[in-house]
Amino acid sequence: MWYVIHSKAGKENIIKIEIEKLVPREAYDEIKIISSVRRRKYGGVWKEEAKRLFPGYIFVITDNAEKMHECLKKVPNYTRILGDEEGFIPILPEEERLLKKLIARTEREKQKGKIDWQISNSNGKKSDAEPTDDLIGMSYGVIENDEVVVADGPLKGFEGRIVKIDRHKREVYLDIPFLGELRRIRPG
């Protein structure tokens, strides 16, 4: 099952590395930080960059949440695992399926095999994502008769969830269920 660890935004990768060093491998199956690939124009040239899709959240896949929680107490920068008063609660199965589908890379990105991780964004900082992040790749589509048609990429089949299109920045906004409520995200 997938669980969510809350961390300080921008510290996700540091905490992931600390977890991998301090928590026994049998306590978890995988740790994910999810980013999306976006296109930006710098100096008249389009470049790809990766941005965290859920800043401040780390996903832990484990079948033993109690052991994981005990082990996380050893991690210095660990904030908390999300849950309720009865303990840790996994994300809903629908949320897990949706995230898995979005993370799948497009064939185009697999063939290209490159994302400019060191690109500076508009305020001069480098990308907040890391090469070890799980990526939601770029999607490609058109608007036909006032409707979005995604031709290729992880957003194919998610057209009904698109709530806003920024044609100037070439971005879409989706409402997806996350932690029991609708969350607006900006994948590539």
Short mmCIF file of all heavy atoms in Angstrom, two decimals, residues 109-153:
data_model
loop_
_atom_site.label_atom_id
_atom_site.label_comp_id
_atom_site.label_asym_id
_atom_site.label_seq_id
_atom_site.Cartn_x
_atom_site.Cartn_y
_atom_site.Cartn_z
N GLU A 109 9.50 9.97 -24.33
CA GLU A 109 10.50 10.31 -23.33
C GLU A 109 11.48 9.18 -23.10
O GLU A 109 12.66 9.41 -22.85
CB GLU A 109 9.83 10.68 -22.01
CG GLU A 109 9.17 12.03 -22.12
CD GLU A 109 8.21 12.27 -21.00
OE1 GLU A 109 7.46 11.36 -20.66
OE2 GLU A 109 8.24 13.38 -20.49
N LYS A 110 11.01 7.94 -23.20
CA LYS A 110 11.93 6.81 -23.05
C LYS A 110 12.98 6.84 -24.16
O LYS A 110 14.14 6.57 -23.93
CB LYS A 110 11.16 5.49 -23.11
CG LYS A 110 10.37 5.20 -21.86
CD LYS A 110 9.65 3.88 -22.01
CE LYS A 110 8.74 3.61 -20.84
NZ LYS A 110 7.94 2.41 -21.03
N GLN A 111 12.54 7.19 -25.37
CA GLN A 111 13.47 7.24 -26.49
C GLN A 111 14.43 8.42 -26.37
O GLN A 111 15.61 8.30 -26.65
CB GLN A 111 12.71 7.30 -27.81
CG GLN A 111 11.98 6.01 -28.12
CD GLN A 111 11.02 6.16 -29.27
OE1 GLN A 111 10.89 7.21 -29.88
NE2 GLN A 111 10.32 5.07 -29.58
N LYS A 112 13.92 9.57 -25.94
CA LYS A 112 14.78 10.74 -25.77
C LYS A 112 15.76 10.51 -24.63
O LYS A 112 16.93 10.81 -24.75
CB LYS A 112 13.94 11.98 -25.47
CG LYS A 112 13.59 12.78 -26.68
CD LYS A 112 13.20 14.18 -26.36
CE LYS A 112 11.99 14.30 -25.47
NZ LYS A 112 11.49 15.65 -25.35
N GLY A 113 15.23 10.03 -23.51
CA GLY A 113 16.07 9.70 -22.37
C GLY A 113 16.79 10.87 -21.74
O GLY A 113 17.77 10.69 -21.05
N LYS A 114 16.32 12.09 -21.98
CA LYS A 114 17.03 13.20 -21.37
C LYS A 114 16.05 14.28 -20.94
O LYS A 114 15.10 14.62 -21.62
CB LYS A 114 18.07 13.78 -22.31
CG LYS A 114 17.51 14.35 -23.60
CD LYS A 114 18.61 14.91 -24.46
CE LYS A 114 18.00 15.49 -25.73
NZ LYS A 114 18.98 16.05 -26.59
N ILE A 115 16.30 14.79 -19.77
CA ILE A 115 15.57 15.93 -19.23
C ILE A 115 16.63 16.83 -18.63
O ILE A 115 17.55 16.37 -17.97
CB ILE A 115 14.56 15.49 -18.16
CG1 ILE A 115 13.50 14.60 -18.82
CG2 ILE A 115 13.92 16.68 -17.49
CD1 ILE A 115 12.62 13.90 -17.83
N ASP A 116 16.54 18.11 -18.89
CA ASP A 116 17.55 19.04 -18.39
C ASP A 116 17.27 19.34 -16.92
O ASP A 116 16.52 20.24 -16.58
CB ASP A 116 17.53 20.32 -19.21
CG ASP A 116 18.68 21.23 -18.88
OD1 ASP A 116 19.44 20.92 -17.94
OD2 ASP A 116 18.83 22.26 -19.55
N TRP A 117 17.86 18.54 -16.02
CA TRP A 117 17.61 18.67 -14.59
C TRP A 117 18.26 19.92 -14.01
O TRP A 117 17.87 20.38 -12.96
CB TRP A 117 18.17 17.45 -13.86
CG TRP A 117 17.41 16.23 -14.20
CD1 TRP A 117 17.74 15.32 -15.15
CD2 TRP A 117 16.19 15.79 -13.65
NE1 TRP A 117 16.80 14.34 -15.22
CE2 TRP A 117 15.83 14.60 -14.30
CE3 TRP A 117 15.35 16.29 -12.66
CZ2 TRP A 117 14.68 13.90 -13.98
CZ3 TRP A 117 14.21 15.58 -12.35
CH2 TRP A 117 13.89 14.41 -13.01
N GLN A 118 19.25 20.47 -14.67
CA GLN A 118 19.98 21.60 -14.11
C GLN A 118 19.50 22.94 -14.66
O GLN A 118 20.09 23.96 -14.39
CB GLN A 118 21.49 21.44 -14.39
CG GLN A 118 22.07 20.18 -13.80
CD GLN A 118 21.84 20.08 -12.30
OE1 GLN A 118 22.03 21.04 -11.58
NE2 GLN A 118 21.42 18.91 -11.84
N ILE A 119 18.45 22.93 -15.42
CA ILE A 119 17.99 24.17 -16.04
C ILE A 119 17.54 25.16 -14.96
O ILE A 119 16.99 24.78 -13.94
CB ILE A 119 16.83 23.88 -17.02
CG1 ILE A 119 16.52 25.10 -17.86
CG2 ILE A 119 15.58 23.42 -16.31
CD1 ILE A 119 15.63 24.81 -19.04
N SER A 120 17.81 26.42 -15.17
CA SER A 120 17.34 27.45 -14.25
C SER A 120 15.93 27.83 -14.63
O SER A 120 15.61 27.97 -15.81
CB SER A 120 18.23 28.70 -14.34
OG SER A 120 19.53 28.39 -13.91
N ASN A 121 15.08 27.99 -13.63
CA ASN A 121 13.73 28.44 -13.94
C ASN A 121 13.70 29.96 -13.97
O ASN A 121 14.73 30.62 -13.86
CB ASN A 121 12.71 27.84 -12.96
CG ASN A 121 12.97 28.23 -11.53
OD1 ASN A 121 13.60 29.24 -11.26
ND2 ASN A 121 12.50 27.43 -10.61
N SER A 122 12.53 30.52 -14.11
CA SER A 122 12.42 31.96 -14.35
C SER A 122 12.99 32.82 -13.21
O SER A 122 13.37 33.95 -13.45
CB SER A 122 10.96 32.33 -14.60
OG SER A 122 10.18 31.94 -13.50
N ASN A 123 13.05 32.31 -11.98
CA ASN A 123 13.59 33.13 -10.90
C ASN A 123 15.05 32.81 -10.61
O ASN A 123 15.57 33.20 -9.57
CB ASN A 123 12.74 33.01 -9.63
CG ASN A 123 12.68 31.59 -9.10
OD1 ASN A 123 13.38 30.73 -9.59
ND2 ASN A 123 11.85 31.37 -8.11
N GLY A 124 15.71 32.11 -11.52
CA GLY A 124 17.14 31.87 -11.39
C GLY A 124 17.53 30.65 -10.59
O GLY A 124 18.70 30.32 -10.51
N LYS A 125 16.58 29.96 -9.98
CA LYS A 125 16.90 28.75 -9.22
C LYS A 125 16.90 27.55 -10.14
O LYS A 125 16.20 27.52 -11.14
CB LYS A 125 15.86 28.52 -8.12
CG LYS A 125 15.85 29.59 -7.05
CD LYS A 125 14.81 29.24 -6.00
CE LYS A 125 14.76 30.28 -4.92
NZ LYS A 125 13.68 29.98 -3.96
N LYS A 126 17.69 26.53 -9.77
CA LYS A 126 17.66 25.33 -10.60
C LYS A 126 16.42 24.52 -10.26
O LYS A 126 15.75 24.75 -9.27
CB LYS A 126 18.93 24.52 -10.44
CG LYS A 126 19.11 23.81 -9.14
CD LYS A 126 20.38 22.99 -9.19
CE LYS A 126 20.35 21.99 -8.06
NZ LYS A 126 21.42 21.09 -8.06
N SER A 127 16.09 23.58 -11.11
CA SER A 127 14.92 22.74 -10.95
C SER A 127 14.88 22.12 -9.56
O SER A 127 15.91 21.74 -9.01
CB SER A 127 14.96 21.64 -12.02
OG SER A 127 13.93 20.71 -11.80
N ASP A 128 13.69 22.02 -8.98
CA ASP A 128 13.58 21.45 -7.64
C ASP A 128 13.50 19.93 -7.65
O ASP A 128 13.52 19.29 -6.61
CB ASP A 128 12.37 22.03 -6.88
CG ASP A 128 11.04 21.69 -7.50
OD1 ASP A 128 11.02 21.12 -8.61
OD2 ASP A 128 10.01 22.00 -6.88
N ALA A 129 13.41 19.33 -8.80
CA ALA A 129 13.33 17.88 -8.90
C ALA A 129 14.72 17.28 -9.06
O ALA A 129 15.68 17.96 -9.36
CB ALA A 129 12.45 17.49 -10.09
N GLU A 130 14.81 15.99 -8.82
CA GLU A 130 16.08 15.26 -8.90
C GLU A 130 15.94 14.14 -9.92
O GLU A 130 14.85 13.64 -10.17
CB GLU A 130 16.42 14.66 -7.53
CG GLU A 130 16.62 15.69 -6.43
CD GLU A 130 17.92 16.46 -6.57
OE1 GLU A 130 18.85 15.97 -7.21
OE2 GLU A 130 17.99 17.57 -6.02
N PRO A 131 17.06 13.68 -10.49
CA PRO A 131 17.00 12.59 -11.47
C PRO A 131 16.41 11.30 -10.92
O PRO A 131 15.98 10.45 -11.68
CB PRO A 131 18.46 12.40 -11.89
CG PRO A 131 19.11 13.69 -11.58
CD PRO A 131 18.39 14.24 -10.38
N THR A 132 16.37 11.15 -9.59
CA THR A 132 15.82 9.92 -9.01
C THR A 132 14.31 9.99 -8.82
O THR A 132 13.70 9.00 -8.41
CB THR A 132 16.48 9.63 -7.65
OG1 THR A 132 16.28 10.76 -6.80
CG2 THR A 132 17.95 9.33 -7.80
N ASP A 133 13.68 11.12 -9.09
CA ASP A 133 12.24 11.26 -8.93
C ASP A 133 11.50 10.40 -9.95
O ASP A 133 11.98 10.15 -11.05
CB ASP A 133 11.81 12.71 -9.13
CG ASP A 133 12.24 13.63 -8.00
OD1 ASP A 133 12.91 13.15 -7.07
OD2 ASP A 133 11.92 14.82 -8.07
N ASP A 134 10.29 9.99 -9.56
CA ASP A 134 9.39 9.36 -10.52
C ASP A 134 8.74 10.48 -11.31
O ASP A 134 8.29 11.47 -10.75
CB ASP A 134 8.32 8.55 -9.78
CG ASP A 134 8.89 7.26 -9.24
OD1 ASP A 134 8.96 6.30 -10.02
OD2 ASP A 134 9.27 7.22 -8.06
N LEU A 135 8.72 10.33 -12.63
CA LEU A 135 8.29 11.41 -13.51
C LEU A 135 6.93 11.16 -14.13
O LEU A 135 6.61 10.05 -14.52
CB LEU A 135 9.28 11.61 -14.64
CG LEU A 135 10.62 12.20 -14.26
CD1 LEU A 135 11.52 12.24 -15.47
CD2 LEU A 135 10.45 13.58 -13.68
N ILE A 136 6.17 12.23 -14.21
CA ILE A 136 4.99 12.25 -15.06
C ILE A 136 5.44 13.00 -16.30
O ILE A 136 5.77 14.19 -16.23
CB ILE A 136 3.81 12.95 -14.37
CG1 ILE A 136 3.40 12.14 -13.14
CG2 ILE A 136 2.65 13.11 -15.34
CD1 ILE A 136 2.31 12.78 -12.32
N GLY A 137 5.52 12.29 -17.40
CA GLY A 137 6.08 12.86 -18.62
C GLY A 137 5.17 13.86 -19.30
O GLY A 137 4.04 14.12 -18.88
N MET A 138 5.67 14.42 -20.37
CA MET A 138 4.92 15.39 -21.17
C MET A 138 3.80 14.68 -21.92
O MET A 138 3.96 13.55 -22.37
CB MET A 138 5.84 16.06 -22.20
CG MET A 138 6.86 17.01 -21.62
SD MET A 138 6.14 18.52 -20.98
CE MET A 138 5.41 19.21 -22.44
N SER A 139 2.70 15.37 -22.05
CA SER A 139 1.60 14.90 -22.89
C SER A 139 1.44 15.86 -24.04
O SER A 139 1.79 17.05 -23.93
CB SER A 139 0.30 14.82 -22.08
OG SER A 139 0.37 13.81 -21.12
N TYR A 140 0.93 15.36 -25.15
CA TYR A 140 0.77 16.18 -26.34
C TYR A 140 -0.66 16.04 -26.83
O TYR A 140 -1.18 14.93 -26.92
CB TYR A 140 1.76 15.72 -27.43
CG TYR A 140 3.18 15.82 -26.95
CD1 TYR A 140 3.79 14.75 -26.29
CD2 TYR A 140 3.90 17.00 -27.09
CE1 TYR A 140 5.08 14.85 -25.81
CE2 TYR A 140 5.19 17.11 -26.62
CZ TYR A 140 5.78 16.03 -25.97
OH TYR A 140 7.06 16.13 -25.49
N GLY A 141 -1.29 17.17 -27.13
CA GLY A 141 -2.67 17.14 -27.57
C GLY A 141 -3.05 18.41 -28.30
O GLY A 141 -2.23 19.30 -28.53
N VAL A 142 -4.32 18.46 -28.65
CA VAL A 142 -4.88 19.61 -29.38
C VAL A 142 -6.24 19.94 -28.79
O VAL A 142 -6.84 19.14 -28.07
CB VAL A 142 -5.02 19.32 -30.89
CG1 VAL A 142 -3.66 19.11 -31.54
CG2 VAL A 142 -5.91 18.13 -31.13
N ILE A 143 -6.72 21.12 -29.14
CA ILE A 143 -8.08 21.52 -28.78
C ILE A 143 -8.90 21.48 -30.06
O ILE A 143 -8.60 22.18 -31.03
CB ILE A 143 -8.12 22.92 -28.15
CG1 ILE A 143 -7.28 22.94 -26.88
CG2 ILE A 143 -9.56 23.34 -27.87
CD1 ILE A 143 -7.12 24.33 -26.26
N GLU A 144 -9.92 20.60 -30.07
CA GLU A 144 -10.79 20.47 -31.23
C GLU A 144 -12.22 20.75 -30.78
O GLU A 144 -12.73 20.08 -29.88
CB GLU A 144 -10.71 19.06 -31.82
CG GLU A 144 -9.37 18.73 -32.44
CD GLU A 144 -9.32 17.30 -32.97
OE1 GLU A 144 -10.24 16.51 -32.71
OE2 GLU A 144 -8.33 16.99 -33.64
N ASN A 145 -12.86 21.71 -31.42
CA ASN A 145 -14.24 22.07 -31.07
C ASN A 145 -14.39 22.32 -29.57
O ASN A 145 -15.29 21.78 -28.93
CB ASN A 145 -15.22 20.99 -31.54
CG ASN A 145 -15.15 20.77 -33.03
OD1 ASN A 145 -14.92 21.71 -33.79
ND2 ASN A 145 -15.33 19.54 -33.46
N ASP A 146 -13.51 23.11 -29.01
CA ASP A 146 -13.52 23.49 -27.59
C ASP A 146 -13.33 22.30 -26.64
O ASP A 146 -13.67 22.39 -25.47
CB ASP A 146 -14.81 24.24 -27.22
CG ASP A 146 -14.90 25.59 -27.88
OD1 ASP A 146 -13.82 26.19 -28.13
OD2 ASP A 146 -16.01 26.06 -28.16
N GLU A 147 -12.80 21.20 -27.12
CA GLU A 147 -12.52 20.05 -26.26
C GLU A 147 -11.06 19.64 -26.42
O GLU A 147 -10.51 19.67 -27.52
CB GLU A 147 -13.43 18.86 -26.61
CG GLU A 147 -14.87 19.12 -26.24
CD GLU A 147 -15.67 17.84 -26.17
OE1 GLU A 147 -15.07 16.76 -25.99
OE2 GLU A 147 -16.90 17.93 -26.29
N VAL A 148 -10.46 19.24 -25.30
CA VAL A 148 -9.07 18.79 -25.32
C VAL A 148 -9.02 17.34 -25.77
O VAL A 148 -9.76 16.50 -25.26
CB VAL A 148 -8.44 18.91 -23.91
CG1 VAL A 148 -7.02 18.39 -23.91
CG2 VAL A 148 -8.48 20.35 -23.44
N VAL A 149 -8.13 17.07 -26.72
CA VAL A 149 -7.89 15.71 -27.16
C VAL A 149 -6.40 15.43 -26.96
O VAL A 149 -5.55 16.05 -27.61
CB VAL A 149 -8.27 15.52 -28.65
CG1 VAL A 149 -7.95 14.10 -29.11
CG2 VAL A 149 -9.73 15.87 -28.88
N VAL A 150 -6.07 14.54 -26.02
CA VAL A 150 -4.68 14.20 -25.75
C VAL A 150 -4.29 13.06 -26.69
O VAL A 150 -4.87 11.99 -26.65
CB VAL A 150 -4.47 13.79 -24.27
CG1 VAL A 150 -3.01 13.42 -24.03
CG2 VAL A 150 -4.90 14.92 -23.34
N ALA A 151 -3.29 13.33 -27.54
CA ALA A 151 -2.87 12.36 -28.54
C ALA A 151 -1.84 11.37 -27.99
O ALA A 151 -1.81 10.21 -28.39
CB ALA A 151 -2.29 13.08 -29.75
N ASP A 152 -0.99 11.84 -27.06
CA ASP A 152 0.09 10.99 -26.57
C ASP A 152 0.48 11.46 -25.17
O ASP A 152 0.43 12.64 -24.86
CB ASP A 152 1.30 11.11 -27.51
CG ASP A 152 2.43 10.17 -27.14
OD1 ASP A 152 2.17 9.10 -26.56
OD2 ASP A 152 3.59 10.52 -27.43
N GLY A 153 0.89 10.51 -24.35
CA GLY A 153 1.40 10.85 -23.03
C GLY A 153 0.51 10.35 -21.90
O GLY A 153 -0.56 9.80 -22.12
#
